[in-house]
Amino acid sequence: MRVLFSVGNLTCGKQNEHKLAVLNKGIKIFINYFLGPVLFVWFGFHIWQQLESQDDLQEAWQAIVDGAMGENWWKWALLILLMILNWAIEAQKWHLSIKHLQQISYWRSFRAILTGVSFAVNTPNRIGEYLGRVLYVEDGNRIKAVSVTIVNSWSQLIITMICGCLGLFYMQWALSKATIEGAGLSIFWIHSLQWVVILFTLVLLALYLKLGTLVDLMEKTPFVGRFRKYFHVLAEFNRRELLIMLLLSFFRYLVFIIQYQLVFSLFDVNLTWWQGFWFTSVVFLILAIVPTIALAELGLRGEVSLQLIGLLSKNKIGIVATTGTIWFINLLIPAIVGSIMVVGLKIYRNK
């Protein structure tokens, strides 16, 4: 009787696992092949409507063509160099943090970053980035490496939140000084968002700098504590290492800002560098807060940029071209390179 009961449980368990696998596959298919394209089309349609409403559409497009040709070639070259620098800094961050699990070369770290990007563009909210990176870690350390990668993303998120919050203060000041229809309502929502972002940022920063204490609390939690072997490595990060990762994240953030300023100048989006810095910071903040789906991300970037940068510049087609160019250079090109690199990767190595 006990044997039959055990066999029945085993069969039931396998059936449940199979149903769960089918459900997960169905969710993935829905997100990747239905929801993502639908959102992309929706954002694209809304952006096109705004572009059509631009009075000097033909002139704006000609300005973009002229700005992208001829003597501006050095700006395009600089954009590519900044893209490489961007991912090189991220590779350095991961190289410094993954050493708590195993020693890998910087070049391997760089390859892991690019492979992560290639996985990220095909998954909701770029969660595939974690999978791509941990493929370059030894088999027994891969789940542990996910927690290390989260700390890397955490440091970047903190910098994005801090700069975005400062950008909100600047935006509130700029709108209060300008005559913009609906500015009063905008200032109200900006002010409300400021306090939410400040509170969330302070909590994130406090937990980040007290990572060892956070790990101790997690280990004492009954359910979470059972998985301590996967996240206990985080207790090995000292304050100096965490601050270095924050500093590297800030340098990487500056690279993003410089890229945007360059492309704004290429596409004749007339902003002062000060306006470009802070309004772009708010764009980054919104993109960090709002969950994105791979295919819809480009449309979301364009929509957010139009709503925010469009307060300062009437060149809507230039704003859309800027976001598309940045997305292509910073994400699509590295993803293509990363997908090539993963071809020769041995996921499971013979010992």
Side-chain angles (χ1 to χ4, degrees):
M1 181 67 69
R2 289 182 179 177
V3 173
L4 291 174
F5 184 73
S6 299
V7 171
N9 280 343
L10 181 61
T11 303
C12 183
K14 288 183 177 180
Q15 289 176 345
N16 289 335
E17 289 179 2
H18 177 69
K19 289 179 180 178
L20 183 61
V22 171
L23 179 62
N24 289 336
K25 184 178 180 180
I27 293 173
K28 182 178 179 181
I29 291 174
F30 174 77
I31 289 175
N32 286 341
Y33 298 104
F34 178 76
L35 186 58
V38 167
L39 288 176
F40 177 77
V41 171
W42 169 254
F43 286 132
F45 176 72
H46 192 235
I47 289 171
W48 176 250
Q49 281 187 316
Q50 295 193 55
L51 292 181
E52 274 197 318
S53 66
Q54 182 164 326
D55 297 331
D56 54 346
L57 180 62
Q58 189 63 37
E59 291 79 2
W61 175 250
Q62 188 59 46
I64 288 177
V65 174
D66 294 341
M69 306 292 285
E71 61 184 16
N72 288 316
W73 66 268
W74 65 270
K75 292 183 179 180
W76 290 103
L78 183 56
L79 276 172
I80 298 298
L81 291 175
L82 287 171
M83 178 268 287
I84 297 172
L85 178 61
N86 165 32
W87 293 115
I89 295 173
E90 182 64 17
Q92 179 63 22
K93 283 170 56 182
W94 201 66
H95 181 66
L96 290 174
S97 56
I98 202 66
K99 70 180 182 181
H100 290 287
L101 286 177
Q102 68 180 73
Q103 292 291 334
I104 63 175
S105 66
Y106 175 79
W107 170 239
R108 189 172 181 84
S109 298
F110 192 79
R111 291 171 59 197
I113 296 301
L114 294 183
T115 300
V117 177
S118 67
F119 276 78
V121 296
N122 294 301
T123 53
N125 222 33
R126 300 193 189 181
I127 58 175
E129 185 174 351
Y130 302 112
L131 174 61
R133 293 189 187 189
V134 301
L135 292 179
Y136 288 81
V137 181
E138 293 176 356
D139 300 346
N141 290 328
R142 285 177 179 166
I143 299 180
K144 299 175 186 177
V146 172
S147 60
V148 171
T149 305
I150 290 174
V151 174
N152 275 244
S153 301
W154 195 345
S155 64
Q156 195 68 53
L157 177 61
I158 289 172
I159 296 299
T160 302
M161 300 292 283
I162 292 174
C163 293
C165 187
L166 294 174
L168 286 173
F169 278 106
Y170 176 80
M171 181 177 289
Q172 182 180 359
W173 174 83
L175 290 178
S176 67
K177 298 296 182 181
T179 305
I180 299 176
E181 185 178 353
L185 180 62
S186 299
I187 291 173
F188 169 77
W189 287 111
I190 290 171
H191 190 66
S192 302
L193 182 59
Q194 279 173 351
W195 290 108
V196 174
V197 173
I198 288 172
L199 179 61
F200 188 62
T201 303
L202 289 175
V203 172
L204 278 179
L205 185 60
L207 292 175
Y208 177 81
L209 295 177
K210 292 288 185 180
L211 198 55
T213 303
L214 178 62
V215 171
D216 291 338
L217 291 174
M218 291 171 62
E219 290 179 342
K220 293 175 182 177
T221 305
F223 176 76
V224 179
R226 291 187 297 175
F227 304 98
R228 64 182 302 274
K229 65 178 181 179
Y230 299 121
F231 61 80
H232 183 72
V233 64
L234 300 182
E236 299 180 16
F237 285 80
N238 56 50
R239 180 70 61 85
R240 180 176 176 273
E241 290 173 324
L242 294 172
L243 290 175
I244 288 175
M245 282 200 288
L246 280 177
L247 183 62
L248 289 173
S249 296
F250 179 68
F251 288 150
R252 188 173 176 229
Y253 191 89
L254 289 179
V255 170
F256 288 138
I257 294 293
I258 294 171
Q259 284 183 308
Y260 264 85
Q261 299 282 33
L262 277 173
V263 185
F264 280 148
S265 68
L266 278 169
F267 294 151
D268 201 28
V269 180
N270 296 317
L271 304 173
T272 67
W273 71 270
W274 192 247
Q275 290 173 331
F277 186 100
W278 291 119
F279 272 71
T280 305
S281 295
V282 178
V283 172
F284 291 162
L285 173 65
I286 300 301
L287 292 175
I289 294 174
V290 179
T292 57
I293 296 172
L295 189 55
E297 182 177 347
L298 178 57
L300 179 62
R301 282 174 178 265
E303 178 66 22
V304 173
S305 297
L306 275 175
Q307 295 299 324
L308 297 178
I309 308 297
L311 294 173
L312 302 173
S313 174
K314 295 182 179 180
N315 186 1
K316 295 179 180 179
I317 192 170
I319 295 171
V320 174
T322 296
T323 57
T325 300
I326 294 293
W327 182 84
F328 180 81
I329 291 176
N330 278 354
L331 196 63
L332 201 57
I333 293 178
I336 294 172
V337 176
S339 63
I340 295 172
M341 288 183 170
V342 79
V343 172
L345 177 65
K346 293 182 179 179
I347 298 177
Y348 296 102
R349 301 175 187 83
N350 296 325
K351 303 219 176 173

